[in-house]
């Protein structure tokens, strides 16, 4: 079920990269691009946290936001895990 939800969330991003991105050009302020970041965040952190990280990144992608290298944060093991 989780994999299907991730796939459904990634599908429009891949559509954007295939259809709209070539027309808009490469204008992302961050490395990796916002769409690549979104796919990696969803695959790494799952649908809930991955979507939150994606929305947080998109909110920072504005003329007054940052720029440069901004990787997806690694998964932190829980304190209760051995």
């Amino acid at each position: 079920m989780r994999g299907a939800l991730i796939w459904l969330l990634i599908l429009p991003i891949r559509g954007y990269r295939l259809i709209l991105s070539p027309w808009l050009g490469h204008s992302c302020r961050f490395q990796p691009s916002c769409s690549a970041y979104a796919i990696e965040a969803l695959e790494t952190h799952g649908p809930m946290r991955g979507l939150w990280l994606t929305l947080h990144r998109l909110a920072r992608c504005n003329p007054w936001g940052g720029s440069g290298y901004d990787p997806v944060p690694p998964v932190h093991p829980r304190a209760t895990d051995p």
Side-chain angles (χ1 to χ4, degrees):
M1 181 69 177
R2 181 177 186 238
L5 183 57
I6 292 171
W7 183 81
L8 284 173
L9 290 170
I10 290 176
L11 189 63
I13 298 168
R14 292 200 189 273
Y16 161 79
R17 293 178 84 180
L18 181 68
I19 298 168
L20 289 177
S21 183
W23 291 94
L24 298 175
H26 301 288
S27 60
C28 190
R29 303 167 54 90
F30 292 102
Q31 181 65 23
S33 68
C34 292
S35 59
Y37 181 95
I39 291 171
E40 186 179 347
L42 289 166
E43 290 175 343
T44 303
H45 292 282
M48 297 303 289
R49 177 137 170 86
L51 189 59
W52 168 251
L53 290 169
T54 299
L55 293 175
H56 183 69
R57 168 74 174 268
L58 290 174
R60 289 183 292 149
C61 194
N62 62 64
W64 302 279
S67 63
Y69 183 63
D70 181 30
V72 174
V75 177
H76 293 290
R78 296 177 188 218
T80 58
D81 289 343

